Amino acid sequence: MAAKILIVDDAAFMRMMIKDILTKNGYEVVGEAENGLKAIEKYQELRPDLTTMDITMPEMDGITAVKQIKKIDPAAKIIMCSAMGQQAMVIEAIQSGARDFIVKPFQPDRVLEAVRKAVG
């Protein structure tokens, strides 16, 4: 059965890019959210196998959202998405419970490698 994935990014274009990479490779995108608050709501509603989480978003950033989701579900699998130059934030996200990170602009092979490792 295909892994169910929640995509979180404030940019609709970025969500579309990730969704395109994932669906073309047999994954099921079950939901999308544009900020950390919506991500927590959607996570509770959908219980995805994996969440891709942008770091910098309005209302609630990705790191705070990771911490909240991990409180709800300590087994949650989350991959961070970051722009270049956000190493400190990526480290904080990993320490907060994220499994991996992918760097924008997305390279399909890297996205798929991270997803396979996380849901593996």
Side-chain angles (χ1 to χ4, degrees):
M1 201 170 95
K4 298 192 298 286
I5 301 175
L6 170 64
I7 299 172
V8 184
D9 198 304
D10 57 321
F13 176 70
M14 288 296 177
R15 293 197 307 270
M16 190 179 73
M17 279 180 65
I18 298 177
K19 184 175 185 173
D20 190 51
I21 293 166
L22 296 173
T23 53
K24 279 182 178 166
N25 287 276
Y27 294 98
E28 183 186 354
V29 175
V30 291
E32 297 181 27
E34 65 275 8
N35 62 54
L37 287 173
K38 291 261 188 339
I40 294 164
E41 282 173 27
K42 290 275 188 188
Y43 187 88
Q44 287 178 296
E45 175 194 333
L46 301 167
R47 293 291 172 156
D49 298 311
L50 178 70
T51 302
T52 66
M53 181 80 67
D54 186 22
I55 293 180
T56 311
M57 296 180 289
E59 293 191 51
M60 180 188 284
D61 66 55
I63 293 170
T64 306
V66 167
K67 290 175 181 172
Q68 297 295 322
I69 288 171
K70 291 298 259 185
K71 279 183 193 165
I72 297 162
D73 179 7
K77 295 175 180 167
I78 303 165
I79 296 174
M80 302 310 290
C81 302
S82 76
M84 289 300 254
Q86 291 185 314
Q87 279 84 347
M89 292 172 110
V90 167
I91 290 166
E92 187 182 345
I94 300 286
Q95 289 169 340
S96 301
R99 291 278 176 103
D100 202 345
F101 69 95
I102 45 180
V103 177
K104 298 173 183 177
F106 300 121
Q107 301 298 320
D109 291 349
R110 177 67 189 107
V111 172
L112 294 169
E113 176 195 345
V115 168
R116 276 194 290 267
K117 273 190 352 200
V119 295

